[in-house]
Amino acid sequence: MSKPETPPTMYAVHSGDRLKLLMERTGTGEAITSRELAEAAGVAHGTIGGLMSGAQRVVPEPKAKAIAAALGVDLLVLWVPMERSGRVFIPQQVAV
Protein backbone atom coordinates (compact mmCIF):
# COMPACT_ATOMS: atom_id res chain seq x y z
CA MET A 1 0.00 0.00 0.00
CA SER A 2 1.50 3.32 -1.04
CA LYS A 3 1.61 6.38 1.13
CA PRO A 4 -0.69 9.22 0.04
CA GLU A 5 1.16 12.15 -1.45
CA THR A 6 1.13 15.28 0.64
CA PRO A 7 0.32 18.43 -1.30
CA PRO A 8 3.16 20.93 -1.65
CA THR A 9 3.36 23.81 0.78
CA MET A 10 1.73 26.88 -0.68
CA TYR A 11 3.51 30.23 -0.58
CA ALA A 12 1.95 33.69 -0.62
CA VAL A 13 3.81 36.59 -2.21
CA HIS A 14 4.69 39.36 0.27
CA SER A 15 3.38 41.94 -2.20
CA GLY A 16 3.22 42.67 -5.89
CA ASP A 17 5.26 45.79 -5.23
CA ARG A 18 8.08 43.76 -3.70
CA LEU A 19 8.07 41.46 -6.73
CA LYS A 20 8.27 44.48 -9.05
CA LEU A 21 11.12 45.95 -7.00
CA LEU A 22 13.07 42.69 -7.13
CA MET A 23 12.50 42.51 -10.89
CA GLU A 24 13.99 46.00 -11.30
CA ARG A 25 17.20 44.81 -9.68
CA THR A 26 17.73 41.07 -9.47
CA GLY A 27 20.51 39.33 -7.56
CA THR A 28 22.81 40.02 -10.51
CA GLY A 29 21.96 43.73 -10.48
CA GLU A 30 20.16 43.49 -13.83
CA ALA A 31 16.48 44.16 -14.48
CA ILE A 32 14.23 41.39 -15.76
CA THR A 33 10.87 41.66 -17.52
CA SER A 34 7.83 39.64 -16.51
CA ARG A 35 8.16 37.52 -19.65
CA GLU A 36 11.85 36.87 -19.00
CA LEU A 37 11.11 35.96 -15.39
CA ALA A 38 8.33 33.60 -16.42
CA GLU A 39 10.60 31.88 -18.93
CA ALA A 40 13.54 31.66 -16.51
CA ALA A 41 11.34 30.25 -13.73
CA GLY A 42 9.41 27.92 -16.02
CA VAL A 43 6.01 29.36 -15.09
CA ALA A 44 3.24 30.93 -17.14
CA HIS A 45 3.54 34.62 -17.94
CA GLY A 46 0.02 35.02 -16.53
CA THR A 47 1.25 33.75 -13.17
CA ILE A 48 3.86 36.50 -12.95
CA GLY A 49 1.35 39.11 -14.11
CA GLY A 50 -1.20 37.93 -11.56
CA LEU A 51 1.35 38.06 -8.75
CA MET A 52 2.39 41.58 -9.75
CA SER A 53 -1.19 42.87 -9.92
CA GLY A 54 -2.44 41.09 -6.82
CA ALA A 55 -4.95 39.00 -8.80
CA GLN A 56 -2.98 35.92 -7.71
CA ARG A 57 -1.37 35.68 -4.29
CA VAL A 58 -0.44 32.03 -3.85
CA VAL A 59 1.69 29.47 -5.70
CA PRO A 60 2.93 25.98 -4.80
CA GLU A 61 6.41 25.63 -3.34
CA PRO A 62 8.16 24.51 -6.57
CA LYS A 63 6.97 27.64 -8.41
CA ALA A 64 7.86 29.91 -5.48
CA LYS A 65 11.37 28.45 -5.36
CA ALA A 66 11.81 28.76 -9.14
CA ILE A 67 10.71 32.42 -9.16
CA ALA A 68 12.99 33.29 -6.22
CA ALA A 69 15.90 31.48 -7.86
CA ALA A 70 15.33 33.27 -11.17
CA LEU A 71 15.42 36.60 -9.30
CA GLY A 72 18.54 35.54 -7.37
CA VAL A 73 16.96 36.06 -3.94
CA ASP A 74 16.26 33.87 -0.93
CA LEU A 75 12.83 32.24 -0.94
CA LEU A 76 11.62 34.11 2.15
CA VAL A 77 12.58 37.52 0.76
CA LEU A 78 9.60 37.27 -1.59
CA TRP A 79 7.38 34.54 -0.13
CA VAL A 80 5.64 33.60 3.12
CA PRO A 81 4.72 29.95 3.78
CA MET A 82 0.95 29.79 4.20
CA GLU A 83 0.78 27.09 6.84
CA ARG A 84 1.73 28.17 10.31
CA SER A 85 0.56 26.27 13.40
CA GLY A 86 -2.07 24.50 11.35
CA ARG A 87 -3.70 27.76 10.23
CA VAL A 88 -3.68 29.39 6.85
CA PHE A 89 -1.66 32.59 6.86
CA ILE A 90 -1.72 35.07 3.99
CA PRO A 91 0.07 38.37 4.61
CA GLN A 92 -1.64 41.65 3.92
CA GLN A 93 -0.61 43.47 0.76
CA VAL A 94 1.71 46.23 1.90
CA ALA A 95 3.91 48.59 -0.03
CA VAL A 96 7.62 47.93 0.25
Side-chain angles (χ1 to χ4, degrees), residues 1 20 22 25 27 43 47 53 55 65 68 75-76 85 88 91:
M1 191 156 124
K20 291 174 194 174
L22 292 171
R25 187 166 184 179
V43 301
T47 298
S53 71
K65 285 182 174 181
L75 180 69
L76 298 179
S85 303
V88 174

Side-chain angles (χ1 to χ4, degrees), residues 45-63:
H45 179 250
T47 298
I48 301 301
L51 292 168
M52 291 171 63
S53 71
Q56 181 175 348
R57 299 279 324 280
V58 179
V59 297
E61 184 175 17
K63 287 184 181 183

Side-chain angles (χ1 to χ4, degrees), residues 75-93:
L75 180 69
L76 298 179
V77 168
L78 181 59
W79 303 100
V80 175
M82 286 184 55
E83 300 167 350
R84 296 214 175 150
S85 303
R87 293 175 290 170
V88 174
F89 173 76
I90 300 178
Q92 289 183 309
Q93 287 276 356

